[in-house]
Amino acid sequence: TVSEAVASRDSDGDTRFRMAGEVVPGTVVETKSGVRFDITDGRKTVTVVHVGDPPSLFKAGAPVVCEGRWGARAFDSDRIMIRHGNEYEPPRVDSERASSRTAP
């Protein structure tokens, strides 16, 4: 979590690790090389500087796991994963409409 990462920042040095939290609304800013944003676990908040394109489901309020290391003033990330539940529900399909269509 963000709180655990902040608590162990001095001992982590430049070791790569993953930090989980939620993207703070109103903090997402595109940069020349990626995106900058804050994440929080409700107790602590950290600025993340990400290099590269974020995943397509990345947005304010999304639960994320960022992988990288501490930089001089922020967490330097090169990988963002979107956290989601274990239960996948496929989109509903109107079977009556789908069966009335003919294949090309």
Side-chain angles (χ1 to χ4, degrees), residues 10-66:
D10 291 337
S11 63
D12 285 337
D14 65 352
T15 304
R16 284 183 64 82
F17 65 96
R18 292 178 178 174
M19 180 170 46
E22 183 176 294
V23 179
V24 177
T27 65
V28 179
V29 177
E30 289 187 33
T31 66
K32 290 180 184 178
S33 58
V35 65
R36 185 179 69 243
F37 56 96
D38 291 348
I39 64 171
T40 187
D41 63 4
R43 293 177 296 184
K44 298 286 184 178
T45 301
V46 168
T47 298
V48 175
V49 177
H50 177 73
V51 175
D53 292 330
S56 60
L57 296 175
F58 176 83
K59 62 182 179 180
V64 296
V65 176
C66 300

Side-chain angles (χ1 to χ4, degrees), residues 88-92:
Y88 170 75
E89 290 189 34
R92 286 196 101 164

